[in-house]
Amino acid sequence: MSSSKTIEELLLASEEGTLDPADRQQLNELLRRDPESRAKFARWQMMTIALQDGTPAPSKNRASVVPAETDRKVWSERQIYRWVIASAAALLIAVTFRWVQLETRPSAPVAETAVASVRTLSDEPTSSGVAVVTQLVDAKDAVIRDASGSTSQSLSVNAALNLGSVRLESGWAQIEFLNGATVVLHGPAEMELVSAAEAIMHRGRIRAEVPPAARGFVVRTNDMKVVDLGTEFGLEVSEEGSNVQVFDGEVELQVDEDQPQLVGAGKSLQRRSGVGIGLNDSPMTPERFVDAAELQRLAETQENERYQQWRLASETLRKDSRLIAYFAMDSPLKGQRFLTNDTVPRNADLDGAIVGATVTRGRWDAKPALQFKRPGDRVRVNVPGEFGSLTMATWVRIDSLDRWYNSLFLTDSYQLGEPHWQILDTGEIHFSVRASTEANGDQPSVGPPHYVALSPSFWNPSLSGQWLHLAVVYDVENATTTHYLNGDVLSVDHIPDHQLVRTTRIGMASIGNWSTPLEPDEHFAIRNLNGSLDELAIFAAALSPTEIKEMVEHGKP
């Protein structure tokens, strides 16, 4: 049974590893609620780290002796070293307590997480996957199911694929295995990913291109095994049986328990289901197996069609009376340092000023986008007026989430009624509208100055470089904030009455960044997006899930 203890007693017990559950809970509560306790914890950590630099403590015999000049120099260097370590520790502690800035954000036990200051291999960011999707052309119902078959997700270009079954009802998918082999999958088809160098064809066709570095790539069917020896081959699996065609080089082919046989270029062998046990010669039909070069040509045609489809939808969207501002980013952009507001009728006062950000490729070759890389990169806008519900939607390509807060759209001063929309380094999407903090009568202010709606984390490093559609709907009538990813609902938050803002405002704001220093030497938080934005729409209304989905369908690359 643990009685109430001072912060010093709790910190000492934490360092000695003698905290019981009740003590740990008390320490967590103190660190969460009491600024003075947090300050003492920070000083404690700084002292602990500074004193762990390997410098021996002075002996009692030398404690009262004035050091010689040399000893003074050594002592001074050691003190400087300790101050450097202590400064690093202070930065570490600041990072540890950044969760305090989001008062409504769930927090992990501080006593357990804050003291884990030494980086280990387990802290290193990791990714997973055995292959990558590099092209999708006319792909319908393209999904991958995990190895257990319990969950599935849609295929997207640049997505990393884990072990599981890729299914494609029509069209083509180009999949590059991590060992270097490239496979073009023709729908309808199902291919199981076994490893970074092996797959099983259950049905459909593939054309595999295997350079020398990827030799040994294996494709199995239910009755044969194909081992590529640095070549190009096609494989078709149907109810009639399996057919292997070698277009270049040679493969090693093994049927059941037979000895492997080499099959060279220009050779086509077929094994019919239920007819004998051997292989029979069959005609070569290379035209039935689309290769990577032909798939690229098909992809270019599809890209142009998708771009034209988006342009038609964009022309309609510009006339939506609910639009506050719309930045289609479909003008050349190169050579101009303003971002056109494309609402119809056009309001040039809503044009944005491009600062630092550079022009890059958008969702299609024919369309530009804006890239944000440096701390100063941003687009400055001024959106006057008062509104109610809000919807913000954009296409974003994230290179990395290496800032604590990665801006999408942030108002400058964050006054009453102004929104903030950004992504945390954890991959959670943050949206809030500043609420009144004034007290009612003699009663103190209730709760934090805003309600922070955080989505679940959607981010993993394999999404880097992919175009994603993000949207947030602030619905005053229903008192909810809804986050969307690629047209699907990520989360719905219900806003407490005392934090619901019915009149929203924007004013001066930045796209892809936050705030402006007032003086030449003034510092400001680094919140610029590390990535690119392509199209941004802001509505004075709460769009429905169907409308969000339609925006994605009309605009996906």
Side-chain angles (χ1 to χ4, degrees):
M1 192 78 179
S2 176
S3 59
S4 180
K5 297 180 179 178
T6 66
I7 182 66
E8 290 83 1
E9 291 173 324
L10 292 169
L11 291 174
L12 180 61
S14 174
E15 186 171 289
E16 294 176 345
T18 59
L19 278 179
D20 60 29
D23 289 341
R24 189 178 302 279
Q25 182 177 358
Q26 183 189 352
L27 178 56
N28 284 338
E29 284 299 309
L30 283 172
L31 294 177
R32 187 169 70 87
R33 296 180 180 277
D34 181 25
E36 185 177 348
S37 293
R38 291 197 294 271
K40 288 183 178 180
F41 175 81
R43 289 195 295 270
W44 185 283
Q45 291 295 304
M46 290 162 58
M47 295 240 343
T48 300
I49 295 175
L51 293 172
Q52 289 177 346
D53 66 344
T55 306
S59 66
K60 292 182 179 179
N61 293 334
R62 297 185 57 189
S64 60
V65 179
V66 176
E69 189 63 28
T70 302
D71 289 333
R72 284 179 181 170
K73 181 179 178 182
V74 172
W75 181 87
S76 177
E77 289 175 349
R78 286 173 177 167
Q79 290 300 100
I80 292 172
Y81 180 69
R82 289 182 179 180
W83 273 110
V84 171
I85 296 297
S87 298
L91 178 60
L92 172 68
I93 302 306
V95 173
T96 300
F97 287 107
R98 83 170 178 88
W99 63 271
V100 177
Q101 297 169 332
L102 293 174
E103 299 180 54
T104 60
R105 187 177 181 185
S107 58
V110 178
E112 295 178 3
T113 58
V115 297
S117 58
V118 180
R119 292 184 66 180
T120 64
L121 288 178
S122 62
D123 297 325
E124 186 175 5
T126 61
S127 184
S128 60
V130 296
V132 179
V133 180
T134 52
Q135 289 277 21
L136 288 173
V137 177
D138 295 334
K140 306 296 182 185
D141 296 325
V143 299
I144 181 168
R145 296 185 181 276
D146 64 15
S148 67
S150 59
T151 60
S152 64
Q153 65 182 59
S154 298
L155 294 186
S156 57
V157 175
N158 295 328
L161 301 180
N162 292 310
L163 302 183
S165 295
V166 176
R167 298 183 182 182
L168 180 66
E169 287 310 310
S170 64
W172 297 269
Q174 181 172 293
I175 298 172
E176 297 181 359
F177 286 76
L178 296 191
N179 83 319
T182 296
V183 165
V184 176
L185 186 68
H186 303 54
E190 180 179 355
M191 179 177 67
E192 183 180 347
L193 308 182
V194 178
S195 73
E198 184 174 351
I200 300 174
M201 278 299 296
H202 294 290
R203 63 185 175 101
R205 282 173 284 159
I206 61 168
R207 183 164 182 150
E209 298 180 18
V210 186
R215 282 174 182 161
F217 178 68
V218 174
V219 182
R220 301 176 184 269
T221 70
N222 65 340
D223 58 4
M224 70 169 59
K225 174 183 176 182
V226 182
V227 181
D228 195 285
L229 301 179
T231 184
E232 187 174 351
F233 71 93
L235 174 63
E236 182 173 10
V237 178
S238 65
E239 294 180 356
E240 286 74 29
S242 303
N243 174 228
V244 178
Q245 300 187 22
V246 183
F247 307 123
D248 186 33
E250 61 182 7
V251 301
E252 185 180 84
L253 184 61
Q254 182 176 2
V255 177
D256 295 331
E257 301 301 324
D258 295 348
Q259 286 293 323
Q261 66 180 89
L262 294 179
V263 182
K267 191 74 172 176
S268 176
L269 295 176
Q270 184 175 29
R271 185 178 192 192
R272 294 187 177 276
S273 299
V275 180
I277 59 173
L279 293 165
N280 300 307
D281 291 338
S282 61
M284 291 285 292
T285 56
E287 69 280 358
R288 287 175 49 79
F289 298 88
V290 172
D291 62 10
E294 176 62 20
L295 189 64
Q296 178 61 36
R297 288 189 287 271
L298 293 171
E300 291 170 358
T301 300
Q302 175 185 262
E303 179 175 298
N304 183 61
E305 292 173 350
R306 294 290 304 167
Y307 173 56
Q308 296 304 328
Q309 176 182 316
W310 169 81
R311 291 195 67 183
L312 288 174
S314 176
E315 292 296 330
T316 301
L317 179 61
R318 297 165 200 236
K319 303 171 186 176
D320 193 318
S321 61
R322 299 170 298 174
L323 274 176
I324 300 172
Y326 177 52
F327 304 100
M329 303 187 193
D330 197 31
S331 59
L333 285 182
K334 288 185 177 179
Q336 72 180 40
R337 301 308 291 166
F338 65 91
L339 187 61
T340 303
N341 167 52
D342 296 301
T343 56
V344 176
R346 172 166 153 68
N347 182 355
D349 288 342
L350 295 178
D351 289 352
I354 301 173
V355 181
T358 57
V359 180
T360 187
R361 180 189 186 276
R363 283 166 282 166
W364 305 280
D365 280 336
K367 187 181 184 309
L370 281 179
Q371 183 178 57
F372 303 81
K373 281 291 183 186
R374 296 162 296 185
D377 293 352
R378 67 196 68 207
V379 176
R380 299 285 294 151
V381 295
N382 183 18
V383 184
E386 293 186 343
F387 318 99
S389 297
L390 293 173
T391 296
M392 297 184 179
T394 188
W395 284 95
V396 58
R397 186 183 67 204
I398 302 169
D399 295 333
S400 68
L401 296 176
D402 48 2
R403 291 87 163 96
W404 287 1
Y405 303 89
N406 302 265
S407 168
L408 294 171
F409 188 91
L410 298 179
T411 55
D412 278 8
S413 54
Y414 196 42
Q415 297 299 313
L416 174 63
E418 295 182 357
H420 270 191
W421 189 29
Q422 54 199 325
I423 310 170
L424 306 188
D425 60 348
T426 57
E428 299 159 290
I429 305 174
H430 168 296
F431 184 84
S432 61
V433 176
R434 183 76 176 191
S436 174
T437 58
E438 295 180 359
N440 297 321
D442 296 329
Q443 299 299 318
S445 176
V446 180
H450 55 215
Y451 180 81
V452 176
L454 283 178
S455 77
S457 178
F458 73 92
W459 178 254
N460 64 72
S462 67
L463 294 176
S464 177
Q466 293 188 43
W467 284 108
L468 307 172
H469 188 269
L470 299 181
V472 62
V473 176
Y474 183 76
D475 189 336
V476 170
E477 182 177 348
N478 295 304
T480 58
T481 298
T482 305
H483 288 291
Y484 291 85
L485 171 65
N486 293 333
D488 297 324
V489 173
L490 271 177
S491 62
V492 179
D493 280 68
H494 294 273
I495 307 168
D497 288 342
H498 66 277
Q499 292 175 310
L500 177 64
V501 179
R502 297 187 176 276
T503 301
T504 58
R505 306 171 179 85
I506 296 176
M508 295 300 299
S510 290
I511 300 170
N513 214 318
W514 182 51
S515 78
T516 303
L518 301 178
E519 301 294 340
D521 61 346
E522 184 171 342
H523 298 285
F524 54 95
I526 298 177
R527 291 195 181 181
N528 69 288
L529 178 72
N530 186 355
S532 304
L533 289 176
D534 181 355
E535 191 180 13
L536 171 66
I538 305 174
F539 298 82
L543 267 62
S544 68
T546 300
E547 290 175 306
I548 300 293
K549 197 75 170 179
E550 286 176 353
M551 292 179 69
V552 175
E553 289 302 314
H554 292 151
K556 63 184 179 183

